[in-house]
Amino acid sequence: MGCERIDMFLQGGLPEGHLTELVGPSSSGKTQVSLRAASSVAKNYLDSALFLDTCNSISPKRIAQIVGQISDPDNKEVNKVIQRVMNSIVYHAVFDIYTLLNVLHCLEFNLRSQKVSQLRLLIVDSISSLISPILGGNGTYSASTCVHITAI
């Protein structure tokens, strides 16, 4: 993931091909960890990361700061690295569950038909803000809640 302590805690980083859910109170750093993971993927693997933003929380300025922190300080071409990373993080604003499902359906189609370059990371920040209006509340819902709901 590009963050030594988190990678060590996760025993090597985010597992490829698996769902990882970051859970915590508001302002606990979930979005920052997600931005760090997306930046690391874009910088280190030359693959793309898809960031589905439900809360208007992504900040290009913050991504540039993160890339500057994880780049070699002696590298004279940090601005080129930042630009490459920014171009590799694909952003979609998603403000309702139907748009999310549509974007995911299009993504599945594009991946199956090889219309998308290497996608290594998909981030949905935050699924609970899309689920809450449907469930009639302002509570915090997680991916496990979604699985339970679809299983009923």
Side-chain angles (χ1 to χ4, degrees), residues 2 28 40 46 66 78 80 85 105 113 128 134 139 145:
S28 63
S40 180
L46 303 176
I66 290 169
V78 171
K80 287 184 182 178
V85 167
H105 177 74
S113 62
S128 64
I134 293 172
T145 303

Side-chain angles (χ1 to χ4, degrees), residues 73-85:
D74 296 329
N75 186 350
K76 304 282 190 252
E77 299 186 4
V78 171
N79 286 336
K80 287 184 182 178
V81 172
I82 290 171
Q83 188 63 44
R84 183 174 49 76
V85 167

Side-chain angles (χ1 to χ4, degrees), residues 38-152:
S39 299
S40 180
V41 162
K43 178 183 178 289
N44 298 326
Y45 296 101
L46 303 176
D47 290 336
S48 61
L50 177 57
F51 198 105
L52 304 179
D53 186 6
T54 68
C55 303
N56 210 19
S57 59
I58 197 168
S59 165
K61 183 178 177 181
R62 180 65 183 128
I63 293 171
Q65 290 172 339
I66 290 169
V67 174
Q69 291 171 356
I70 63 177
S71 296
D72 178 10
D74 296 329
N75 186 350
K76 304 282 190 252
E77 299 186 4
V78 171
N79 286 336
K80 287 184 182 178
V81 172
I82 290 171
Q83 188 63 44
R84 183 174 49 76
V85 167
M86 298 294 277
N87 289 335
S88 296
I89 299 174
V90 179
Y91 170 83
H92 284 284
V94 179
F95 297 116
D96 63 65
I97 192 70
Y98 305 107
T99 305
L100 174 66
L101 294 173
N102 185 51
V103 169
L104 293 175
H105 177 74
C106 291
L107 175 63
E108 178 187 23
F109 176 79
N110 290 336
L111 287 171
R112 289 182 190 266
S113 62
Q114 308 271 321
K115 291 183 180 181
V116 175
S117 64
Q118 292 294 323
L119 178 66
R120 187 170 287 263
L121 181 65
L122 169 65
I123 297 168
V124 180
D125 184 16
S126 137
I127 194 121
S128 64
S129 66
L130 300 180
I131 300 298
S132 293
I134 293 172
L135 297 179
N138 58 3
T140 305
Y141 301 99
S142 66
S144 60
T145 303
C146 298
V147 171
H148 179 71
I149 291 168
T150 57
I152 292 177

